[in-house]
Amino acid sequence: MTIPDSSGYHFLMENGSIELPCKPEEERRIVQELSAKADSNLREGNLYYPISTRWFRAWQRYTGQTEGLYPLSANPFEAQSVISSNTVEDRPRPGVIDNTDIIVSGGDDKDDDPQLLRTLDEGRDYVLVQQDVWEKLREWYKGGPALPRKMISVGAQQKQFVVEVFPLSLRLIDSRDQSEGPLRLSKKASLNDLYGKVCQLKGLDPQKARIWDFFNKQKQTILLSSSKTLEESNLQMDQDILLEVPTDGLGMDSTGNGLALVPVEPSRSIFSIAGGPTMSNGNSTGYNPIYQQSTSTSTCGDMEDAYDGLKPLKREDRGGLAGLQNLGNTCFMNSSLQCLVHTPPLAEYFLQDYSDEINKQNPLGMNGELALSFGELLRKLWSPGRAPVAPRAFKGKLARFAPQFSGYNQHDSQELLAFLLDGLHEDLNRVKQKPYFEIKDSGGRPDEDVADELWRYHKARNDSVIVDICQGQYKSTLVCPVCDKISITFDPFMYLSLPLPSTATRSMTVTVFYGDGSGLPMPFTVTVLKQGCCKDLNKALSVACCLRNDEYLLLAEVYEHRIYRYLENPSEPLATVKDDEHIVAYRLPRREVDLTKLEICHRYQDIERKLFLTPLVTILEDPLSGLGIDLAVKRILSPLRRKSFFTSATGHSSGENGSAFNALDEQMKSSGSQLGPAIQTTEEMDAEGMSGKELSFRLCITDEKGHSCRPIVKDSSVKPARKVKVMLDWTDKEHELYDSSYLKDLPEVHKSGILAKKTKQEAISLFSCLDAFLKEEPLGPDDMWYCPQCKEHRQASKKLDLWRLPDILVFHLKRFSYSRWLKNKLDTFVNFPIHNLDLSNYVKSKDASEGSHTYELYAISNHYGGLGGGHYSAYGKLTDGKWYHFDDAHVSPVNESEIKTSAAYVLFYQRVNSQR
């Protein structure tokens, strides 16, 4: 026997019982409330569960949420829920939760520890839901498998919570039988936890076990049981650890400490703690294997942490051809590090004794730890020999002070470079007590005086080797568009992020609808920049449709006979609009005061009441009422009236209505499809004729999500709002009076042909990128400037000029764009000079003491591939003038003619007269 409920949903459970699930809207409400409650109580140890995006999107569709919003938002339940045009019956209930597409093949519910695929990307492949949400979804849908993940706290300076989706996976090797097996723990687990899990697995007494850091199949150091975390011990994903069990009576001293019966290999550091030099094979001179007692002194980790003996390295002992091991998606870090390590003045600085300049008092610094760790790594890379270096200690420091780069995901090499330059500056800042300066307005003073004054102020607070060689100064000019107030400032810069201007275009077809009912919808095809934004499309359409000064265009994307979203942000890139989408523009009157927009959706007057036709948008005049909405609908539909209707109306109508329809018919004959101002007169007459009658249409007002529907009558009051959404039911009467074909079959944005030609890769010069960076342009609406003269925020125009150039000039080519709408990468080839980059024409300062404005290229950070992956490498020029390719651990010579590619991402130049 089936027990029905009001919604008609009922399911027979495996045990024969009947489950009555919630309605879709109720499921969505419950999940959103649980999610909000969990987000208000974030703390370390909270559990989260990954769910396959494929299943989760099916659930979103079922519960009436817009599919695909989560990948661009931080929370899967923060995205605005927009009801689908299909009815609940058309939105099938998803099956059991199925995570099999995101776990390693072979995982199932019987697997005690199923593992996520390492290539997954949050949002694209999986979503994270809180424990309460998971338990509720599991209660409703069953399935799995469950993949609990803990929230941990990261960061040494500013703590932040993250979900550890991929815990640390180690490979345990048992020295007794050489057996191997995986071991998974949180990177925040302690060495005590490690010993506990290993000994429980092997049935050992923790006092009789010894675990080695066995990175690269070599004994690095003994991991003594302590509260030290695995992250602090510099253990890496998928590395080996070695279990040793000393034989009773052997290998134990009188205190019970184990003796390692193997030689402990020294680190490949240039100097040991005592400062002794090392041979090119990594072994120090006079080194003999010894038996080292396993005491706490042996747990110092990689010798990158050995900061004693910072003695200068002789030039004849320098190498510079060592690679960096990839520790798991760390090619972005290796690329940036090789470029910095091979920056001549920076290398010269860190190869000397810089210990006196370490600033451990700077609250903005990292206690000098970042500078010391970087310096030790640089010394390793410049030591003789070509053996690759594993930057484990440096990566550990990076994870502590910049948790955004922790874990094993791919990151941006330029973002890391920016952090390193800033962090090294703060750790090496020679200023211990920063003076306070009150910045004065330029006040019409000469630019040279203002620039020098601000540079002195900056140097008085910031004085380091990074400022000496990497920081320049640019001039920023803001002009108020209302009072013409000019504001000039001079700001320091560490690198220049250059846009990549594009001349590539695309054709876009957009249908324009008249919001006042003065004409039939008309498609227009315009040409815009491929990398343009919505304001470019709006401008091109305004010209094409002869938009009047008292009108504006409202762009919208239409999907499944509803407005999916409005394209109201002028800065939204057009790349978010795909060729197979349908874009419309509503031609609306411009008013000083924002009026209520009326959005009209059409649906069949039948049992299913499915949506059809293109939605329309018009303007409602106050006061808002049912009669006013009815008249607005009649006005915007007036161009669609059939001629046969006007003829019939003429023969059977009399008085004012009949003369109105005659006038309307004559106007249609004289002007074709276009209707003039007489339309308004017609509507006014219709209003007079309707004063004692019912409304002309069957209308109901609905909410934004389409969840409720309230019929509209003549005296219905409408709550004032920026937008009112109504449903228009098309009966036989509407089909007889209006030709709906004009609202069907919208053209796609671009109809690509079968034999479309492949566009040739675009090429631009570095100078055109610099010109685009320096050109005058208005500030965005979200970046308004407060004018001190108007006392208002204004959309001022901004102009940048180069004023003072550094010895090391870094250009960041902005290939990646990230916004709330889109992630994109440009593979445009940028033609950059290798020799004699002359920037004299760009520098506005006339100070001859600054030196030459000519630069030579010495390093490049490259990115190959697309978003969400790809690979980084670096090109670097050594002191012998030869170029080398640094591809993680592999270093190989490369011809200078081969270093110009479309993968170039960050360019490093050195001033000619500063080279030694």
Side-chain angles (χ1 to χ4, degrees), residues 144-301:
L147 304 163
R149 296 295 186 264
K150 283 187 178 182
M151 176 170 279
I152 61 175
S153 175
V154 297
Q157 294 174 309
Q158 293 184 344
K159 296 290 184 181
Q160 53 183 279
F161 293 119
V162 298
V163 178
E164 190 177 27
V165 178
F166 298 99
L168 186 62
S169 179
L170 303 171
R171 189 164 44 246
L172 175 64
I173 301 176
D174 193 332
S175 64
R176 296 172 296 178
D177 56 7
Q178 298 302 309
S179 61
E180 299 182 7
L183 195 67
R184 300 182 183 95
L185 298 92
S186 169
K187 66 181 180 181
K188 292 297 182 180
S190 67
L191 292 177
N192 290 333
D193 299 328
L194 176 65
Y195 268 84
K197 190 161 186 176
V198 169
C199 292
Q200 181 183 11
L201 182 66
K202 296 293 184 178
L204 294 173
D205 181 356
Q207 297 298 324
K208 296 184 178 181
R210 291 293 179 266
I211 301 177
W212 283 84
D213 177 352
F214 204 50
F215 184 78
N216 281 348
K217 299 291 186 182
Q218 293 181 346
K219 290 184 177 181
Q220 306 290 335
T221 184
I222 288 181
L223 303 171
L224 292 184
S225 184
S226 67
S227 60
K228 188 177 183 180
T229 66
L230 305 186
E231 182 181 40
E232 292 169 344
S233 302
N234 296 326
L235 297 182
Q236 304 298 312
M237 183 71 81
D238 297 327
Q239 80 155 74
D240 297 328
I241 55 174
L242 180 67
L243 171 65
E244 288 187 338
V245 183
T247 306
D248 290 341
L250 296 175
M252 303 292 290
D253 65 7
S254 59
T255 64
N257 289 326
L259 294 175
L261 303 181
V262 292
V264 180
E265 297 186 10
S267 169
R268 187 182 178 277
S269 178
I270 302 169
F271 299 100
S272 66
I273 292 181
T278 58
M279 301 288 286
S280 60
N281 61 3
N283 296 327
S284 64
T285 55
Y287 168 77
N288 292 313
I290 59 171
Y291 292 109
Q292 179 175 323
Q293 186 174 358
S294 300
T295 65
S296 59
T297 59
S298 66
T299 62
C300 63

Side-chain angles (χ1 to χ4, degrees), residues 553-686:
L553 292 178
L554 176 63
L555 298 174
E557 180 182 341
V558 175
Y559 177 70
E560 291 186 347
H561 311 295
R562 63 182 173 86
I563 294 178
Y564 177 69
R565 63 187 179 117
Y566 289 102
L567 307 176
E568 294 185 279
N569 192 313
S571 301
E572 178 172 352
L574 289 177
T576 60
V577 180
K578 307 303 179 186
D579 285 346
D580 58 350
E581 292 176 352
H582 303 286
I583 302 298
V584 299
Y586 298 103
R587 190 169 178 164
L588 301 175
R590 191 186 301 275
R591 296 285 190 268
E592 292 184 2
V593 180
D594 288 339
L595 299 178
T596 300
K597 297 182 182 68
L598 177 65
E599 183 179 317
I600 306 162
C601 292
H602 314 271
R603 65 182 184 182
Y604 289 106
Q605 178 59 32
D606 54 18
I607 297 177
E608 295 184 350
R609 292 195 173 185
K610 287 187 176 181
L611 295 182
F612 78 124
L613 304 181
T614 303
L616 299 174
V617 175
T618 186
I619 294 296
L620 280 178
E621 304 284 350
D622 291 330
L624 303 180
S625 65
L627 179 60
I629 292 177
D630 188 85
L631 290 175
V633 173
K634 179 175 288 188
R635 181 176 66 246
I636 199 170
L637 289 179
S638 59
L640 308 182
R641 286 175 176 167
R642 300 181 187 271
K643 284 189 176 184
S644 58
F645 164 68
F646 287 107
T647 304
S648 175
T650 304
H652 296 87
S653 300
S654 60
E656 295 179 355
N657 277 348
S659 61
F661 290 136
N662 278 331
L664 184 61
D665 190 26
E666 290 298 321
Q667 184 176 355
M668 288 189 66
K669 291 178 181 178
S670 62
S671 60
S673 63
Q674 299 295 323
L675 297 177
I679 293 297
Q680 297 175 357
T681 305
T682 301
E683 300 302 343
E684 292 169 0
M685 293 179 178
D686 283 345

Side-chain angles (χ1 to χ4, degrees), residues 440-445 447 475-490 776 785-790 796-799 801:
K440 305 174 185 176
D441 189 74
S442 57
R445 291 181 292 162
D447 286 348
K475 175 185 176 182
S476 175
T477 304
L478 291 171
V479 180
C480 177
V482 177
C483 69
D484 294 328
K485 165 69 177 177
I486 299 177
S487 174
I488 297 177
T489 59
F490 292 85
E776 183 176 357
W785 171 62
Y786 182 79
C787 176
Q789 193 161 294
C790 295
S797 63
K798 184 175 183 179
K799 174 73 172 73
D801 291 296

Side-chain angles (χ1 to χ4, degrees), residues 691-708:
S691 58
K693 301 179 182 179
E694 294 298 323
L695 300 183
S696 302
F697 303 97
R698 290 189 179 182
L699 298 165
C700 66
I701 191 167
T702 182
D703 59 14
E704 178 63 30
K705 302 174 183 178
H707 293 164
S708 62

Side-chain angles (χ1 to χ4, degrees), residues 457-531:
Y457 290 169
H458 176 69
K459 289 278 288 184
R461 295 172 55 86
N462 303 276
D463 185 18
S464 69
V465 64
I466 303 299
V467 175
D468 294 342
I469 66 175
C470 295
Q471 285 199 355
Q473 189 181 36
Y474 64 79
K475 175 185 176 182
S476 175
T477 304
L478 291 171
V479 180
C480 177
V482 177
C483 69
D484 294 328
K485 165 69 177 177
I486 299 177
S487 174
I488 297 177
T489 59
F490 292 85
D491 301 302
F493 68 85
M494 197 103 67
Y495 53 87
L496 298 176
S497 291
L498 307 184
L500 272 59
S502 174
T503 56
T505 59
R506 65 183 292 197
S507 296
M508 301 185 71
T509 300
V510 178
T511 304
V512 176
F513 290 83
Y514 289 80
D516 60 357
S518 61
L520 289 170
M522 181 74 65
F524 291 91
T525 299
V526 295
T527 300
V528 293
L529 288 173
K530 195 171 184 180
Q531 301 300 327

